[in-house]
């Protein structure tokens, strides 16, 4: 009998009280197979009353042990207080940025629910990849969080591309804010082959459209905090503004969305998201903040460091790993730092501790109804060559012999260019950045050394080519 026929109700023992909602059969099947492979306390129950559907679960219980009650912007402005904590739905809360954000917000007193289909874990299995850090199942993670803090994080396991599932999650949780990380977030992944390019755009664009429709139908006052990317802008030969630019043309002046020059199918999906969100703010009165985030580095936040079962994922491979994280792992295992091409590619960077801080600031200072605002979310700019030099110097202090080599650039991008992006709006809201320091680099390198036995060096060199991407399905690694 096929697995699809066996699974009609996926029930996770995350809480004594659970609710079941209909979800995508394919994703439910995949996540159940994946959780079984990790022995994650998954129980499968058959149901003769509900045929041809899969069901996913929500751990349903109130947040306990709150020490503060976050208020909405309107409540703060009016001086009105409420004993009810502000409710935040973290879509994609099992991922790198999402998990750290969910714990941070819960720790700050928000009532948090995670919505995730766990497909990021499936990508690792499909491509033969793994996190540098061992990561627990999402059920074990939230159980450990509750045992340490007394705070419950609700779980809604399912696919946001399934509008029926997403609708039930919105109606059940009734969020005041929705933080949307729930997208395929790798440019190289989107360039592996046609199927991954199509998946990336469908998952990201349709998923975001579903979130917008769910907000319109069930949570009109909900504030969308959407994680975009600085990659939407490309590398123009002028300063990059925060979302909008005022131009004068033929004697007339207007403020318009900043031009977009995306460099992969992934980045293009983010551009489409931004356009759809801006339109629904204008047409429906949605309130939204688009956080165009730079490249994130680091792994630990105050919350993820509380227990090993709360550890965040740390990607070092050529598909999902980000530049600084990858360089630290390469240095730890004695692999030359892989600088693509000339290494002059310059981007905005930020510590993951600042990611969670920026999201919290956006939630605490919501957009107005009908307002689409854009914040550039990064704290410093570095070229790839500059990062390589910093890691080399930090490694030498730890006795590591770090070498650098230029490898053919698999991407289609400018390798030497002007780059000056504005990033003042979050600072004005109170962001206190964690700038890249010698001590942080030492910490990252020591962290990489601690787990270097888990490194698969075959996953370091790039094998996804922007120019060679084709229609035939491609397996990156064997």
């Amino acid at each position: 009998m096929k697995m699809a026929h066996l699974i009609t109700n996926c029930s996770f023992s995350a809480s004594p009280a659970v609710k079941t909602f209909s979800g995508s059969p394919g994703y439910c099947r995949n996540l159940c197979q994946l959780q079984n492979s990790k022995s994650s306390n998954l129980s499968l129950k058959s149901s003769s009353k509900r045929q041809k559907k899969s069901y996913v679960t929500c751990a349903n219980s109130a947040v306990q042990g709150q020490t503060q009650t976050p208020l909405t912007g309107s409540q703060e402005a009016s001086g009105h207080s409420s004993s009810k904590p502000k409710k935040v739905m973290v879509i994609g809360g099992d991922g790198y940025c999402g998990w750290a954000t969910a714990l941070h917000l819960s720790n700050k007193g928000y009532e948090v629910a995670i919505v995730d289909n766990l497909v990021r874990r499936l990508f690792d299995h499909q491509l033969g990849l793994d996190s540098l850090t061992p990561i627990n199942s999402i059920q074990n993670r939230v159980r450990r969080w509750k045992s340490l803090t007394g705070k419950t994080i609700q779980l809604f396991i399912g696919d946001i591309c399934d509008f029926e599932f997403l609708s039930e999650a919105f109606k059940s949780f009734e969020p005041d804010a929705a933080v949307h990380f729930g997208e395929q977030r790798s440019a190289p992944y989107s360039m592996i082959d046609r199927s991954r390019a199509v998946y990336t755009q469908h998952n990201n664009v349709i998923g975001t459209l579903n979130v917008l429709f769910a907000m319109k139908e069930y949570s009109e006052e909900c504030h969308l905090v959407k994680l975009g990317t600085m990659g939407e802008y490309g590398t123009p030969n002028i300063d990059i503004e925060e979302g909008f630019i005022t131009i004068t043309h033929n004697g007339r002046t207007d403020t318009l969305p900043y031009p977009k020059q995306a460099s992969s199918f992934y980045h293009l999906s983010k551009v489409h998201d931004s356009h759809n969100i801006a339109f629904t703010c204008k047409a429906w009165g949605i309130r939204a903040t688009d956080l165009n985030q730079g490249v994130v580095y680091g792994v630990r936040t105050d919350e993820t460091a509380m227990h090993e079962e709360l550890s965040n994922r740390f990607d070092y491979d050529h598909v999902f790993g980000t530049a600084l994280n990858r360089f630290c792992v390469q240095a730890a295992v004695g692999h030359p730092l892989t600088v693509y091409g000339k290494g002059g590619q310059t981007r905005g960077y930020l510590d993951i501790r600042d990611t969670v801080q920026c999201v919290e600031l956006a939630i605490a200072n919501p957009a107005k109804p009908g307002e689409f605002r854009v914040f550039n979310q990064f704290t410093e700019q570095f070229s790839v060559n500059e990062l390589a030099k910093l890691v080399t110097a930090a490694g030498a202090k730890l006795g590591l012999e770090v070498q650098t080599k230029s490898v053919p650039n698999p991407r289609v991008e400018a390798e030497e260019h002007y780059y000056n992006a504005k990033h003042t709006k979050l600072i004005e809201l109170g962001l206190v950045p964690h700038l890249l320091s010698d001590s942080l680099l030492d910490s990252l390198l020591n962290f990489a050394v601690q787990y270097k036995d888990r490194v698969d060096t075959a996953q370091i060199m790039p094998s996804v080519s922007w120019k060679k991407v084709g229609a035939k399905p491609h397996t990156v690694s064997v």
Side-chain angles (χ1 to χ4, degrees):
M1 185 178 293
K2 294 182 178 180
M3 192 67 157
H5 297 150
L6 285 172
I7 300 173
T8 54
N9 186 341
C10 301
S11 177
F12 304 103
S13 56
S15 170
V18 297
K19 296 179 181 179
T20 58
F21 301 126
S22 62
S24 165
Y27 279 99
C28 193
R29 178 169 64 255
N30 287 335
L31 70 91
C32 285
Q33 290 172 332
L34 180 58
Q35 293 292 333
N36 269 335
S37 72
K38 296 289 186 178
S39 301
S40 63
N41 198 19
L42 171 66
S43 61
L44 305 180
K45 301 178 182 179
S46 62
S47 171
S48 59
K49 295 182 180 180
R50 292 170 176 159
Q51 299 296 329
K52 298 182 181 180
K53 283 189 178 181
S54 298
Y55 288 82
V56 292
T57 67
C58 158
N60 179 35
S61 55
V63 177
Q64 302 173 16
Q66 303 285 5
T67 58
Q68 55 184 307
T69 302
L71 305 179
T72 64
S74 59
Q75 288 174 330
E76 290 175 337
S78 65
H80 173 71
S81 64
S82 169
S83 60
K84 186 177 180 181
K86 191 171 183 179
K87 302 171 76 172
V88 181
M89 175 182 285
V90 181
I91 302 169
D94 188 47
Y96 174 54
C97 292
W99 174 241
T101 299
L103 293 189
H104 177 77
L105 294 175
S106 178
N107 202 34
K108 290 292 184 178
Y110 292 87
E111 184 174 349
V112 176
I114 286 175
V115 175
D116 205 301
N117 62 3
L118 310 185
V119 73
R120 175 64 188 85
R121 297 170 183 253
L122 183 63
F123 293 159
D124 278 355
H125 281 254
Q126 290 174 334
L127 301 178
L129 310 175
D130 202 358
S131 166
L132 178 70
T133 49
I135 52 174
N136 270 259
S137 70
I138 187 62
Q139 294 78 19
N140 286 342
R141 282 173 149 185
V142 297
R143 276 195 291 265
R144 175 58 63 187
W145 178 248
K146 183 174 182 179
S147 72
L148 291 171
T149 66
K151 302 174 188 294
T152 297
I153 295 177
Q154 295 190 40
L155 286 180
F156 295 85
I157 307 298
D159 184 5
I160 65 170
C161 288
D162 177 349
F163 188 69
E164 183 182 356
F165 158 76
L166 186 62
S167 297
E168 292 299 328
F170 263 83
K171 287 188 286 185
S172 174
F173 186 64
E174 298 179 332
D176 299 302
V179 182
H180 185 13
F181 291 100
E183 300 198 320
Q184 193 295 100
R185 54 97 173 165
S186 165
Y189 185 91
S190 75
M191 303 300 294
I192 292 174
D193 54 29
R194 184 205 65 83
S195 64
R196 266 93 174 199
V198 171
Y199 170 81
T200 297
Q201 296 227 344
H202 180 273
N203 180 80
N204 294 2
V205 178
I206 301 306
T208 297
L209 273 174
N210 279 349
V211 171
L212 292 167
F213 272 95
M215 289 173 61
K216 180 179 184 292
E217 294 296 320
Y218 308 113
S219 296
E220 289 186 351
E221 294 301 312
C222 183
H223 174 213
L224 175 63
V225 179
K226 169 68 165 59
L227 269 292
T229 171
M230 290 295 295
E232 291 188 29
Y233 300 121
T235 55
N237 198 37
I238 59 173
D239 290 355
I240 296 173
E241 305 296 332
E242 296 201 64
F244 299 90
I245 185 170
T246 300
I247 62 173
T248 299
H249 179 65
N250 291 341
R252 301 186 69 84
T253 299
D254 202 354
T255 298
L256 301 170
Y258 196 94
K260 306 296 177 69
Q261 300 181 75
S263 59
S264 72
F265 291 120
Y266 155 74
H267 291 103
L268 283 163
S269 75
K270 293 290 194 176
V271 172
H272 303 329
D273 286 341
S274 295
H275 290 158
N276 286 336
I277 296 168
F279 170 72
T280 56
C281 287
K282 182 184 297 184
W284 301 341
I286 296 286
R287 57 175 80 204
T289 301
D290 203 0
L291 297 176
N292 281 342
Q293 182 166 250
V295 183
V296 184
Y297 59 82
V299 63
R300 284 179 172 163
T301 61
D302 290 344
E303 292 79 19
T304 63
M306 290 171 62
H307 194 280
E308 62 181 7
E309 289 186 8
L310 301 179
S311 292
N312 205 350
R313 68 179 306 117
F314 189 101
D315 297 305
Y316 65 89
D317 59 85
H318 60 98
V319 178
F320 290 99
T322 56
L324 184 56
N325 286 357
R326 294 184 67 222
F327 281 177
C328 288
V329 171
Q330 289 167 13
V333 299
H335 191 287
L337 307 188
T338 53
V339 171
Y340 293 173
K342 296 178 180 179
Q345 302 93 319
T346 302
R347 302 291 187 268
Y349 289 80
L350 76 162
D351 190 303
I352 193 168
R353 292 173 295 178
D354 291 336
T355 291
V356 302
Q357 189 185 168
C358 289
V359 171
E360 183 190 0
L361 285 169
I363 293 169
N365 301 275
K368 300 174 183 177
E371 180 184 10
F372 173 69
R373 61 184 188 178
V374 180
F375 298 162
N376 290 345
Q377 182 171 304
F378 70 96
T379 57
E380 297 177 275
Q381 292 182 179
F382 297 100
S383 71
V384 174
N385 284 331
E386 288 171 336
L387 290 178
K389 289 178 181 178
L390 289 170
V391 172
T392 299
K397 294 178 182 178
L398 299 178
L400 300 174
E401 219 174 288
V402 183
Q403 298 181 338
T404 298
K405 73 173 182 179
S406 174
V407 301
N409 193 346
R411 303 185 179 211
V412 177
E413 62 183 359
E415 295 177 3
E416 294 178 318
H417 55 86
Y418 176 81
Y419 196 83
N420 184 38
K422 306 293 180 62
H423 57 110
T424 61
K425 294 182 179 178
L426 285 161
I427 298 292
E428 291 168 359
L429 288 179
L431 172 64
V432 180
H434 297 82
L435 301 181
L436 187 59
S437 62
D438 290 344
S439 61
L440 177 60
L441 278 171
D442 289 348
S443 174
L444 275 175
L445 283 167
N446 279 310
F447 187 85
V449 169
Q450 177 185 352
Y451 288 101
K452 69 177 184 179
D453 290 342
R454 289 178 53 85
V455 175
D456 178 2
T457 56
Q459 305 302 334
I460 291 177
M461 293 298 292
S463 65
V464 178
S465 170
W466 263 231
K467 291 185 177 180
K468 295 180 181 179
V469 60
K472 183 178 179 181
H474 175 60
T475 299
V476 173
S477 59
V478 294

